[in-house]
Amino acid sequence: MLFQKIADTYHEFTVLRDVNLCIECDVCIGQCSYNVHYRDAVCFSDDVRSCIASDSSKCVGCLRCSALCPTGALSILSNDYCNGCSGTRQSALLRNIYKQAETGVKQSHAGRGHSNMPVYWDKLMLVAGATDTADVADITDKSLSSRSPNYLLNKPLLLDSTPHIAINPNLRTAMKMAADKLNLAEIRDKEISANGICAEEDSCEYGSCEYVRIPATHNVAKLALKAVDEGAKVLVIGGGSRGDGPFDRNDTQLMPIELAIGVVDNILRDEGVRESVFVIAASGIMCSSDVVKAVALGVDAVSIGAAMMIAVGCSLCGSCHTGKCPWGIATVESNLCKRQNPELAAEQMINVVNAWNQEIAEILESVGVASLSDMRVNKDILRAVGLSETEMKILGVEHAGQ
Amino acid sequence: MKRIFPDKKYCIGCKLCELACLVVHSVSKDLTSAYKNERVRGLAPSIQGIEKGETCVAVSCRHCEEPACVDACKAGALSKDSATGIVHYNASLCVGCWSCMAACPYDSIKQNKFSNKIIKCDLCSGREDGPACVQSCPNRSLKYEERSILYDGLEKSKISLEHSDGCGQSLGTDALIISGAEGDSAIGCTEHNFRVKFEAISKGLKRAVVVGSGHCGLKAAEILYESGVEVAIVEEASHVLPQESDGQAASLISRRIKDAGLTIKLGTAVRDVIRDDEGRVKGVLLSDRSFLEAGAVIFANGVSADISSISFCGLAMVSAGILGPELDLADDDVEYDSYFYCDEVKQIYRKLVFKDQLLVGYILVGDIESCSILTSFVKFRLDLDAESKKLLCSGVANLLMWPDNFFEKQWSPEKS
């Protein structure tokens, strides 16, 4: 573009406006917090008219405008195809280097822009009828109940309101509302708590406890063991994962959560302390089958925070660090925060969890397991497809066909 | 009844509610066509997104328990449905006097500048999914539900207009008295009846004299004028609309009337009605000893209509609060602090009278869009700071200028 540096004009995304559909209602202008859309004077053959223009170089691909456009006139195209390279998100890589070349300033993504880690969940399949539960599940409900905290036992799903970036306080409110309504436990800053109503005196549904959060770094196993030695009852493993949700930034040093679950489970079992600790996986769970697989792989519960953010609009654009999230998620600016009405957000979260519960029930039925807690550390129900010996050893699963 | 309640805490200002309103009230029921074609021809949303700084909210008719607009409407175009609670608007009866706008303190009635009528929410009556604006709100900041609304609860002040079936007294077919005095109703003082009656009178009539230039007098003159009659207006006071306006506002109206081709005689009274041998009216003799030839005389002197707005030949005027001679006095009175603005070219006049921190009266001519807000400040006696005063004076006003807690109380009452 004339008189401009490539660092300013290079765009990862192209905003496509169908002028036949656009009615120039200005909704997109109001919704974009990156000022992509604007009013411009355009010369026609005989007069000058005001019309809406878009500066694609500012677009982060959050899709807010196209979601709210009343006529569906906006499409956001990723420009990854344009340089013909293989691999994903090349355009983010180029954008970073162009910016660095121009300014000499560090960019938010140190690596290739967006994570390209494998998704092991997709390479694990659930097999029906392979289980002799009494034999395989060496951690039964009975042995679990000897551990504290009791109130977590029937709560394989948790909500995580402590992401490591600033999120809209309205969403914390919404998460609390959803957790209370669904009787889920919630990971807070210092504790994991549940406020469900105590139905019977002996089966306690509420309570709170401290926890230890460990990152899925290469020494996650040692960290886990150390925490247990120091008396931790609840471990929360935060892993690195694909996807660019609000919970997954700066993930280059973190391994995929599946491998972290595998090594932690292995070492705790080797040391004979698996039964004395409640393990929670706190990232990388994006769908209901991930929940089932994670529980089978060796955790007692999973936190589904990232999926909750998608439920309220997050499109994984990976621009959380700007603090200008147009969906009002990864932001604390008051004019953006109000885009999340806690009442509506809580309802969306509740709906997702309800839908997942139905799906999980179906999955459990199809593999012949009665409940999610029976699924705990039931690796025999998992089979790998296309994984190496090493990967399968870490995960503790056999290959499909074996 | 169920009403629409906005929540300014979560309004994101996208104005999709306005678009939904447009579509539902359009002929084509298609957004593109409604927005691009029908809007140009006068289609407008009856819900308005308003903004002040970062705050925004969308407001529409509240369908009040005791609607001031219905009281104000002389034409019978607005009515409160006792069964559903909806305040209905019948555009075919509306004459575009905008009294309802001036009376409504919730800024919920808007001018339709294309048809010279009004735009008002009908709660999408009969729509299966409820009001379209509520359905379209992406952040659920509009709710359609039962809540007890806080009615203003203030005593009707001067601006809440007395409902009056003005009556007329007929002196034959060519001399007519229209007044609010009790008596057999010859002409119900609704605009519709006015029109029918005066159009009948105007048949075969060349010249007429209207005595009195209050609202009714001017309306009568307008209808006669539109029927092709040559009209002279005689007013005893020094300016037209003596009860509703000050000299300067009136002079704008007068000028518009004169430009249209009517004659105005100010500061004169009628001494006698001259009739010919057969008893037909020949004209009137005035106090300045001049004679005006006329085939009909309409006396609109002690006219009832305590009405605060009028449109004449397309020029709208609204006044409220302190009325009559006080408006002129306010300029010199130390108790009052008055502001006025006059644009002769655009024929816009704006006069605001403040007393301490309160707005106590106003006159608007030409641009009357902010009348509803001004009415709210007069009616609810809302305190104004210097900045808000400045905004009001500059003609920029919206409901978000209300004190925050008052706004919340009125628009977001607790669920009942």
Side-chain angles (χ1 to χ4, degrees), chain A residues 262 265-266 269 296-297 377-383 395-397:
Chain A
D265 185 56
N266 284 341
R269 206 182 288 253
L297 202 58
V377 206
N378 199 343
K379 293 190 186 185
D380 213 33
I381 215 155
L382 292 172
R383 287 288 185 278
L395 293 171
V397 295

Side-chain angles (χ1 to χ4, degrees), chain A residues 235-253:
Chain A
L235 288 183
V236 175
I237 311 172
S241 63
R242 49 278 139 185
D244 305 289
F247 297 88
D248 309 304
R249 302 295 314 156
N250 214 356
D251 54 10
T252 46
Q253 293 153 23

Side-chain angles (χ1 to χ4, degrees), chain A residues 23 334 338-339 343 347, chain B residues 10 35 54 139-140 143:
Chain A
I23 56 171
S334 60
K338 69 180 175 184
R339 295 185 180 188
E343 181 195 314
E347 195 179 298
Chain B
Y10 298 117
Y35 193 85
E54 279 185 6
N139 204 30
R140 207 176 286 174
K143 291 207 177 125

Side-chain angles (χ1 to χ4, degrees), chain A residues 19 21-25 27 31 64 68 70-71 170 334-335 338-344 347, chain B residues 7-16 19 31-32 35-36 54-56 138-141 143:
Chain A
V19 287
L21 290 174
C22 178
I23 56 171
E24 305 199 5
C25 64
V27 167
Q31 290 305 306
R64 174 80 177 180
L68 263 80
T71 59
N170 290 353
S334 60
N335 61 329
K338 69 180 175 184
R339 295 185 180 188
Q340 290 292 345
N341 183 345
E343 181 195 314
L344 180 62
E347 195 179 298
Chain B
D7 187 349
K8 70 181 163 71
K9 218 168 140 194
Y10 298 117
C11 175
I12 60 172
C14 62
K15 302 195 182 180
L16 288 173
L19 298 182
L31 178 55
T32 308
Y35 193 85
K36 290 188 117 173
E54 279 185 6
T55 315
C56 43
N139 204 30
R140 207 176 286 174
S141 77
K143 291 207 177 125

Side-chain angles (χ1 to χ4, degrees), chain B residues 235-290:
Chain B
E235 172 57 57
E236 216 171 345
S238 58
H239 57 76
V240 296
L241 292 164
Q243 292 298 312
E244 291 129 337
S245 154
D246 64 352
Q248 198 158 2
S251 74
L252 276 178
I253 300 271
S254 299
R255 204 178 83 193
R256 180 64 74 99
I257 294 171
K258 283 178 184 163
D259 286 351
L262 292 85
T263 313
I264 300 178
K265 288 253 180 190
L266 295 171
T268 41
V270 173
R271 283 278 172 267
D272 203 359
V273 178
I274 310 296
R275 294 170 185 269
D276 65 11
D277 295 345
E278 290 162 20
R280 283 195 298 254
V281 173
K282 279 174 68 184
V284 290
L285 191 64
L286 301 178
S287 58
D288 62 358
R289 293 172 189 256
S290 60

